[in-house]
Amino acid sequence: MQLLFDKNVNFCPRLLKTEMTPLIIKGWPNTYTFTKALAEKMLLQLGDKLPIVIVRPSIVTASWREPILGWVDNLNGPTGLLAGAGKGVLRTLLCHKDLIADLVPVDICINLLISAAWYTAINSFRKQLFVVGIHLILLDNYKCNYI
């Protein structure tokens, strides 16, 4: 199957691929957000008799409290970045001082997943799709120190 896929992809000229993607995703910023929206639309159309909840966490990081403070099982994403900075390997990072990374601890996400599943199961008679977003809320007086 992979060989057949590779032949089909390589058959299309590069220009044709770059022209087709914007036509297919029609205004979505990228294929990731487009396919996510496509999957949710399918759930709305085909899952009308099922209790469904969609949980959308932002960037998931190490745990806050459970099972222990700072627990993580990989160095992907921001965890690797933070580990590199903590070890002194990463000494500089270009970023905008007014932007905040929307990071959420993994234990908060898991607790919300469990709660959202329970709530959806209890309220499944309503026949509606529940969508839950998880974002970190910072205190207004929180400021980063820049050197």
Side-chain angles (χ1 to χ4, degrees):
M1 187 64 169
Q2 183 66 32
L3 187 59
L4 179 63
F5 176 76
D6 288 343
K7 285 181 182 178
N8 290 335
V9 169
N10 292 329
F11 176 74
C12 296
R14 183 177 297 228
L15 185 60
L16 184 60
K17 286 189 277 188
T18 57
E19 288 178 5
M20 287 180 65
T21 300
L23 293 174
I24 294 170
I25 65 173
K26 294 181 183 158
W28 288 94
N30 53 47
T31 54
Y32 172 73
T33 57
F34 171 72
T35 55
K36 205 166 68 160
L38 192 63
E40 291 179 12
K41 187 173 183 179
M42 277 183 53
L43 286 172
L44 279 171
Q45 291 174 346
L46 303 175
D48 59 343
K49 293 180 176 58
L50 298 171
I52 297 173
V53 62
I54 296 171
V55 177
R56 297 178 183 153
S58 58
I59 304 168
V60 180
T61 60
S63 66
W64 176 39
R65 288 195 266 183
E66 299 170 347
I68 59 172
L69 176 66
W71 177 85
V72 68
D73 66 347
N74 64 59
L75 294 177
N76 299 331
T79 305
L81 186 70
L82 295 172
K87 289 285 190 180
V89 176
L90 179 65
R91 294 176 183 238
T92 61
L93 179 67
L94 178 62
C95 57
H96 194 284
K97 68 177 184 171
D98 295 328
L99 299 179
I100 297 173
D102 194 6
L103 307 173
V104 180
V106 66
D107 50 336
I108 300 297
C109 296
I110 296 301
N111 289 337
L112 181 71
L113 278 168
I114 294 167
S115 301
W118 170 83
Y119 183 84
T120 303
I122 296 299
N123 294 289
S124 63
F125 62 89
R126 293 185 184 177
K127 302 294 184 222
Q128 66 184 21
L129 177 69
F130 297 104
V131 180
V132 181
I134 308 173
H135 302 279
L136 180 64
I137 300 172
L138 295 174
L139 299 174
D140 289 338
N141 61 357
Y142 178 80
K143 298 287 181 192
C144 293
N145 294 321
Y146 296 95
I147 299 173

